[in-house]
Amino acid sequence: GEGGGEGGRQVLLTVGNHDIGNQQHASQKYLDLFEEGVGPANAVLCLKNQSFVTFNTQVLAPQARAAMRATALSFLSSPSLSLQLQQCSGSAPSRPILIGHMPLYRSTDEVCGRESGTTTVGNRCQRPPPDPLVPSPSVPTYCHESGRGVTYKAVRDTLYAWDDDVLGQEQSTALLRDLQPSLVISGHTHAPCRTSHVIAAPGHADVTREVPEVTLPPLGWRMRPDAGYAIAVIVPANAAVRGADSG
């Protein structure tokens, strides 16, 4: 969804599993509530000739509810999407920045380069801060200890579950092919990551390019003791990330 802010600032909000559920557990009722209260789950926003696409990645798996999956896929194939991307750039359809809750396919976080799921805050799994809704909070089940410290999701060499932790390989490939994004921004795994995906240029199977993906850690201390965020400077017109800092 999208919303306005003071001074003309724009806020983009993407739907996640804590909003509507995930894949076969996604609820049309909760999706309707999200769209009524926040905005469309699938939308295009144009800022200074750079297009942003927020997309409902929670319903792409084959086991997702058929009607919800069909709605998301129809958005990708809609002529109005291509038209909006073209109007944003003023010429050929621009390569949008894709914002979705679930990361695109990767088997583990070993591909995350210098980013990782570890934290330097202590070397033991800690109980989360008190929650009035949870009488006796326990150590999160996604907290693991290792020689590198504590990670608040899977350790880097742990296999991810398709369509639960990350999108399936087939769905990720199709999403990259159909949208041809310049950058992907995701979340969900509770751990930061920088990776990239190789895709073919439209109509030129022998010409490939890399699409970077940045997975952001949560800004929530119940999920990590080192909750994080990112600030990026984006150059319009088939954007490239010039710099990004996470804290």
Side-chain angles (χ1 to χ4, degrees), residues 80-142:
S80 65
L81 173 60
S82 179
L83 179 60
Q84 289 181 79
L85 296 179
Q86 182 172 339
Q87 290 174 335
C88 183
S89 66
S91 55
S94 63
R95 293 175 181 167
I97 293 176
L98 171 62
I99 304 175
H101 183 69
M102 291 188 71
L104 301 184
Y105 173 79
R106 59 180 183 260
S107 59
T108 75
D109 273 358
E110 291 285 355
V111 298
C112 291
R114 65 180 180 83
E115 304 286 355
S116 71
T118 59
T119 174
T120 57
V121 183
N123 59 3
R124 302 288 296 177
C125 287
Q126 304 169 3
R127 290 174 179 267
D131 186 326
L133 300 180
V134 182
S136 300
S138 58
V139 170
T141 57
Y142 47 79

Side-chain angles (χ1 to χ4, degrees), residues 170-181 199-202 209:
E170 181 180 344
Q171 288 71 45
S172 298
T173 300
L175 191 54
L176 289 168
R177 180 197 64 218
D178 294 344
L179 271 183
Q180 291 289 316
I199 64 173
R209 66 181 179 89

Side-chain angles (χ1 to χ4, degrees), residues 1-2 12-15 40-47 50-57 72 75-78 80-86 88 93-102 104 175 178-186 234 239:
E2 64 188 72
L12 299 179
L13 300 172
T14 186
V15 66
N42 306 304
V44 180
L45 177 68
C46 182
L47 291 174
Q50 174 60 54
S51 55
F52 296 78
V53 172
T54 54
F55 185 68
N56 183 4
T57 53
F75 169 80
L76 292 178
S77 60
S78 169
S80 65
L81 173 60
S82 179
L83 179 60
Q84 289 181 79
L85 296 179
Q86 182 172 339
C88 183
S94 63
R95 293 175 181 167
I97 293 176
L98 171 62
I99 304 175
H101 183 69
M102 291 188 71
L104 301 184
L175 191 54
D178 294 344
L179 271 183
Q180 291 289 316
S182 59
L183 170 67
V184 179
I185 301 175
S186 57
I234 298 170

Side-chain angles (χ1 to χ4, degrees), residues 7-54:
R9 290 190 298 269
Q10 294 286 335
V11 178
L12 299 179
L13 300 172
T14 186
V15 66
N17 57 300
H18 289 286
D19 299 306
I20 66 168
N22 194 25
Q23 309 307 345
Q24 69 268 33
H25 303 297
S27 164
Q28 183 65 54
K29 173 185 175 181
Y30 291 136
L31 177 58
D32 291 342
L33 289 173
F34 180 91
E35 295 192 316
E36 291 172 8
V38 177
N42 306 304
V44 180
L45 177 68
C46 182
L47 291 174
K48 298 182 178 180
N49 298 114
Q50 174 60 54
S51 55
F52 296 78
V53 172
T54 54

